[in-house]
Amino acid sequence: METKAAMNPKDYQCIGGELDEILPADESCATQQLSSKREYRLALLSFWIFGVCNSFAYVVMLSAAHDILHSGDEYKNQTHRGNCSNCSSNYEIDESDILYCNKVSTGAILLADVVPSLLVTLTFPFFLQQIPYNVKLALVVGFCAASFVVVAFAHAIWLSVIGIVFASISAGLGEITFLSMSTFYHNDVFSSWSSGTGGAGVFGSIVYAGFTSLGLSPQTSLLIMLFIPTLMLITYTCILPSAGWNEKSQDKKADSCAFKLTYKQKFAVIPYLLKYMIPLAMVYFAQYFINQGLYEFLYFNDEFLSRPEQYRWYQVDYQIGVFISRSSVNFIHIRNLWILPSLQVINLILLLFQLYYRFIPNFWIIIVIILWEGLLGGGAYVNTLYRMTNDLSSNIKEYCFGVVTVGDSVGIATAGVAAIPFHNYICNLKLKV
C-alpha cells in the first residue's frame, strides 16, 4: 500500500478524504475493450435496445395516465368539469368557459410510477453487486411484463396502480443494472444506453398515442407492448457480447478487477456525488411538475385535437426533445451542470403564468416550449452521467452510477407529491380557459 503522501488524488475520484481507507486505483482494471469491431458494434446495439426497453413501460404508463384514471368501473359514465370542491362531486358546466378538472391528478400516477423506483435506487446499490446479472435481468423482464398485463386487465384504479408499481420497479432496477453493466464495456456504450432511453420516450408515447388514435383500446395497446420485455431478454441472451461479469463467460478478468467497497466506504462516497445528484434532482423536479402537474391544464379549446389527445401529444413532444438531447452527448458536452436546472425552472415559471393568465395564444407555441423542456431534461441526464464517466475511476463507477440515479428519482417523486395538492388548488380557482 502506498503512503498517503504518494497517492494521486485522481485515483480517488468520488471518494474524497477517505484516502487512508480506500485501496488505490489499479489501472489494470480499466474498462474491458472488446476483441473485435463486431463485438463492439453488438455491444452498442445491445445497450441501445436495453435503454429503449427499460424505460418503455415507464413512459407508456405516464402517457396513459388520463386513460388509467378513467379505466376503473367507478369512473364509467362520470364527468368532471370545471371547478370542483376537491373534485369530489359530479356536475356539468360549460367546458369552453371553465378549466376542465380531473377527479384525480395525474401526479398520482407519477407517484405510483416513481416511488417504487426511488426505493429501489435508494437501497439496491448497497447489495446489488452480490446478485448475478442473470438474476437481475430476470427480475427486470418479469416486472416489466407483469406491468403491462396487470394494467391491461385492471378494472379498478388500485389494480392499475399495482401494475404501475411493477413498471416502476422494473425501470429502477433496470437502470441500476444496465448502468453498472456498462462499466465493463467500452465507454461508448454509455452514449448508446442514453440514446436508447431517450428513444423509449419517443417510441413509447408515440406508440400508445398512435394505437389509441387508430381506435385500439388501451387494453389491446398495452398487451401488444409485451414484445418489449421479450426483446430485452432476446438481446441479453443472443446479442450482447460477454465481458467477463457473469456466467456467460469464462473470462474472470472483470471479477478480479471489481473494487469491493465496504458499507462504511459506500456511505462515505455519497457526499462527493452530491455535485451530480442535486442538479439532476432539480431539473427532474421542474420538468415532471410541468408534465404531471401542468400538462392536463394547458389544453386549448377549438383545436383539431381533443383535450385528452392534446395531453398525449404533449407527452410525445416532450419525449422527442429528450431523445434528441440524450443522443447528443458525442457532439455537445455541457460541464456546468447547474445551467440546465436553472433553465428548466424558468420553463416551469413560464408555464405557471400561462396557466393563470393564458397569455400564450395557441397550441403550437406550447409545443415549442415543451420540446425545449425535453431538450433540457434529456441534456441534464446525459451530461451528468457523461461527466461521471470521464471523472470517476473505472473500478468504482459501477457503484457510483447506481447511487447517482437516486437524484432523478428524488426529483420526480417530489414533483409527484407537489402536483397532487396543486391540482386540487387549481381546481378550486375557477380559472378561465
Side-chain angles (χ1 to χ4, degrees):
M1 174 75 73
E2 295 181 359
T3 63
K4 189 172 182 177
M7 294 177 183
N8 182 352
K10 290 185 178 180
D11 293 337
Y12 300 92
Q13 298 283 356
C14 95
I15 298 300
E18 301 291 323
L19 301 184
D20 53 340
E21 298 184 17
I22 306 294
L23 295 174
D26 183 353
E27 294 303 320
S28 67
C29 293
T31 303
Q32 179 174 332
Q33 304 297 312
L34 297 176
S35 60
S36 70
K37 287 185 178 180
R38 179 178 179 274
E39 288 187 337
Y40 169 78
R41 290 167 182 164
L42 288 175
L44 294 181
L45 174 62
S46 297
F47 277 89
W48 191 84
I49 295 173
F50 289 149
V52 170
C53 294
N54 188 66
S55 301
F56 197 92
Y58 176 87
V59 169
V60 167
M61 297 308 169
L62 292 184
S63 297
H66 265 332
D67 296 326
I68 290 171
L69 287 175
H70 292 274
S71 65
D73 292 333
E74 66 269 34
Y75 276 83
K76 293 178 180 178
N77 302 317
Q78 292 186 18
T79 57
H80 305 274
R81 289 192 175 93
N83 171 52
C84 51
S85 179
N86 293 321
C87 300
S88 59
S89 61
N90 303 331
Y91 52 87
E92 291 280 352
I93 63 175
D94 185 359
E95 184 176 317
S96 65
D97 184 34
I98 303 297
L99 194 69
Y100 184 100
C101 175
N102 284 312
K103 185 175 182 179
V104 181
S105 167
T106 54
I109 300 298
L110 178 62
L111 278 179
D113 214 3
V114 73
V115 169
S117 177
L118 174 61
L119 296 177
V120 168
T121 55
L122 281 173
T123 57
F124 275 47
F126 294 101
F127 60 85
L128 203 62
Q129 287 177 299
Q130 280 70 49
I131 303 175
Y133 276 99
N134 287 350
V135 175
K136 288 182 277 194
L137 251 294
L139 290 172
V140 172
V141 169
F143 277 113
C144 182
S147 70
F148 289 124
V149 173
V150 171
V151 174
F153 289 104
H155 295 290
I157 289 180
W158 68 267
L159 194 55
S160 295
V161 168
I162 291 176
I164 295 168
V165 167
F166 287 163
S168 179
I169 293 173
S170 174
L173 178 57
E175 184 172 32
I176 297 173
T177 298
F178 292 122
L179 283 175
S180 299
M181 188 190 298
S182 72
T183 63
F184 296 108
Y185 290 86
H186 193 283
N187 283 346
D188 288 353
V189 303
F190 163 72
S191 59
S192 292
W193 156 266
S194 180
S195 176
T197 58
V202 177
F203 302 144
S205 56
I206 285 180
V207 166
Y208 184 78
F211 281 174
T212 52
S213 295
L214 289 173
L216 294 179
S217 68
Q219 180 185 75
T220 301
S221 301
L222 291 169
L223 291 177
I224 290 173
M225 293 174 196
L226 282 170
F227 78 89
I228 289 295
T230 304
L231 177 59
M232 191 186 303
L233 185 60
I234 291 172
T235 301
Y236 176 74
T237 56
C238 302
I239 301 177
L240 179 67
S242 297
W245 39 258
N246 68 3
E247 296 83 351
K248 292 170 67 178
S249 172
Q250 297 302 314
D251 176 12
K252 298 301 176 182
K253 177 182 177 181
D255 291 337
S256 64
C257 290
F259 195 51
K260 304 298 184 184
L261 296 172
T262 65
Y263 284 106
K264 180 179 179 181
Q265 292 164 341
K266 288 179 178 180
F267 281 107
V269 164
I270 294 175
Y272 302 95
L273 296 176
L274 292 179
K275 64 181 180 181
Y276 306 110
M277 297 168 67
I278 294 176
L280 197 61
M282 286 183 62
V283 78
Y284 270 79
F285 169 81
Q287 73 191 44
Y288 274 89
F289 188 87
I290 293 170
N291 292 6
Q292 305 308 129
L294 301 184
Y295 277 8
E296 60 181 316
F297 298 128
L298 294 176
Y299 67 90
F300 291 82
N301 289 321
D302 303 320
E303 285 291 335
F304 68 100
L305 296 173
S306 68
R307 181 186 53 81
E309 286 173 329
Q310 287 179 57
Y311 177 88
R312 293 171 191 159
W313 289 104
Y314 283 158
Q315 295 284 353
V316 172
D317 183 40
Y318 161 78
Q319 297 295 351
I320 289 173
V322 171
F323 175 59
I324 292 171
S325 57
R326 288 196 179 192
S327 304
S328 69
V329 71
N330 291 329
F331 309 101
I332 302 173
H333 304 152
I334 300 173
R335 287 197 59 82
N336 187 344
L337 300 179
W338 286 99
I339 292 175
L340 299 169
S342 299
L343 292 173
Q344 197 70 289
V345 169
I346 292 173
N347 269 348
L348 173 57
I349 294 171
L350 176 65
L351 292 175
L352 278 171
F353 272 92
Q354 166 64 9
L355 178 59
Y356 282 95
Y357 301 110
R358 297 286 167 173
F359 64 95
I360 297 175
N362 64 65
F363 171 78
W364 295 107
I365 297 176
I366 297 292
I367 284 290
V368 172
I369 295 172
I370 289 175
L371 180 67
W372 173 238
E373 176 209 348
L375 289 171
L376 293 175
Y381 178 88
V382 71
N383 282 281
T384 298
L385 296 184
Y386 181 82
R387 182 172 168 183
M388 290 177 63
T389 298
N390 289 280
D391 286 355
L392 305 182
S393 299
S394 59
N395 56 0
I396 52 176
K397 285 181 186 177
E398 183 181 12
Y399 169 71
C400 292
F401 270 39
V403 171
V404 168
T405 58
V406 173
D408 57 77
S409 297
V410 168
I412 297 170
T414 306
V417 170
I420 294 173
F422 178 79
H423 171 272
N424 293 335
Y425 168 74
I426 291 298
C427 284
N428 288 320
L429 288 183
K430 297 184 179 179
L431 293 176
K432 299 289 184 179
V433 177

